[in-house]
Amino acid sequence: QLQLVESGGGLVQPGGSLRLSCAPSGFTLDNYAIGWFRQAPGKEREGLASISSDGNTYYADFLKGRFTISRDNAKGMVYLQMNSLKPEDTAVYHCAADRRLEILRLGAPIDEYDYYGQGTQVTVSS
């Protein structure tokens, strides 16, 4: 089954850090742009960051440098390093893969992405 699998979520105290991973299953990410999104209960999905197939990165302004997206093409993985976490960062975090960087940057309905993962829960609480 072709899918994306996120990992690395968990419970962290305010001010702490987490690194999320996005791994493909059944295919490779070589020619795909990747985006990270999150959705908290009762809130709309937010786009966080995206990275092109050749490593150009884009971020939502509200993150103010706290998150960093990266990819390791040798390992076929994409990461989201999250620092200075706040309780309002609590959400389910998803990665998406698509050959069209633009729809990852601008956002689109989930079913328009080539692949969209099931997500990993991040909880920021003391």
PDB file of all heavy atoms in Angstrom, residues 7 14 35 48-49 57 72 74:
ATOM      1  N   SER A   7       5.921  10.071  12.155  1.00  0.00           N
ATOM      2  CA  SER A   7       6.320   9.586  13.467  1.00  0.00           C
ATOM      3  C   SER A   7       7.040  10.692  14.211  1.00  0.00           C
ATOM      4  O   SER A   7       7.398  11.721  13.620  1.00  0.00           O
ATOM      5  CB  SER A   7       7.202   8.342  13.344  1.00  0.00           C
ATOM      6  OG  SER A   7       8.391   8.654  12.645  1.00  0.00           O
ATOM      7  N   PRO A  14       6.208  22.803  27.504  1.00  0.00           N
ATOM      8  CA  PRO A  14       6.398  24.089  26.819  1.00  0.00           C
ATOM      9  C   PRO A  14       7.873  24.478  26.804  1.00  0.00           C
ATOM     10  O   PRO A  14       8.582  24.312  27.797  1.00  0.00           O
ATOM     11  CB  PRO A  14       5.568  25.055  27.657  1.00  0.00           C
ATOM     12  CG  PRO A  14       4.502  24.201  28.259  1.00  0.00           C
ATOM     13  CD  PRO A  14       5.159  22.879  28.545  1.00  0.00           C
ATOM     14  N   GLY A  35       4.951  18.747   2.209  1.00  0.00           N
ATOM     15  CA  GLY A  35       4.439  19.786   3.093  1.00  0.00           C
ATOM     16  C   GLY A  35       4.049  19.204   4.435  1.00  0.00           C
ATOM     17  O   GLY A  35       3.662  18.045   4.527  1.00  0.00           O
ATOM     18  N   LEU A  48       2.143  24.553   7.464  1.00  0.00           N
ATOM     19  CA  LEU A  48       3.281  24.969   8.275  1.00  0.00           C
ATOM     20  C   LEU A  48       4.520  25.243   7.437  1.00  0.00           C
ATOM     21  O   LEU A  48       5.141  26.288   7.553  1.00  0.00           O
ATOM     22  CB  LEU A  48       3.604  23.900   9.319  1.00  0.00           C
ATOM     23  CG  LEU A  48       2.472  23.515  10.248  1.00  0.00           C
ATOM     24  CD1 LEU A  48       2.884  22.328  11.099  1.00  0.00           C
ATOM     25  CD2 LEU A  48       2.064  24.687  11.108  1.00  0.00           C
ATOM     26  N   ALA A  49       4.906  24.277   6.649  1.00  0.00           N
ATOM     27  CA  ALA A  49       6.158  24.388   5.913  1.00  0.00           C
ATOM     28  C   ALA A  49       6.105  23.449   4.729  1.00  0.00           C
ATOM     29  O   ALA A  49       5.378  22.449   4.740  1.00  0.00           O
ATOM     30  CB  ALA A  49       7.339  24.027   6.813  1.00  0.00           C
ATOM     31  N   THR A  57      12.915  25.739   0.697  1.00  0.00           N
ATOM     32  CA  THR A  57      11.978  25.657   1.818  1.00  0.00           C
ATOM     33  C   THR A  57      11.100  26.896   1.919  1.00  0.00           C
ATOM     34  O   THR A  57      11.509  28.001   1.552  1.00  0.00           O
ATOM     35  CB  THR A  57      12.732  25.468   3.144  1.00  0.00           C
ATOM     36  OG1 THR A  57      13.650  26.544   3.316  1.00  0.00           O
ATOM     37  CG2 THR A  57      13.496  24.158   3.148  1.00  0.00           C
ATOM     38  N   ASP A  72      16.239  14.386   3.717  1.00  0.00           N
ATOM     39  CA  ASP A  72      17.446  13.582   3.527  1.00  0.00           C
ATOM     40  C   ASP A  72      17.139  12.642   2.371  1.00  0.00           C
ATOM     41  O   ASP A  72      16.510  11.598   2.562  1.00  0.00           O
ATOM     42  CB  ASP A  72      17.773  12.822   4.810  1.00  0.00           C
ATOM     43  CG  ASP A  72      19.075  12.050   4.718  1.00  0.00           C
ATOM     44  OD1 ASP A  72      19.465  11.678   3.587  1.00  0.00           O
ATOM     45  OD2 ASP A  72      19.681  11.795   5.765  1.00  0.00           O
ATOM     46  N   ALA A  74      19.046  10.770   0.670  1.00  0.00           N
ATOM     47  CA  ALA A  74      19.722   9.474   0.755  1.00  0.00           C
ATOM     48  C   ALA A  74      18.886   8.478   1.559  1.00  0.00           C
ATOM     49  O   ALA A  74      18.839   7.288   1.244  1.00  0.00           O
ATOM     50  CB  ALA A  74      21.095   9.650   1.370  1.00  0.00           C
TER      51      ALA A  74
END
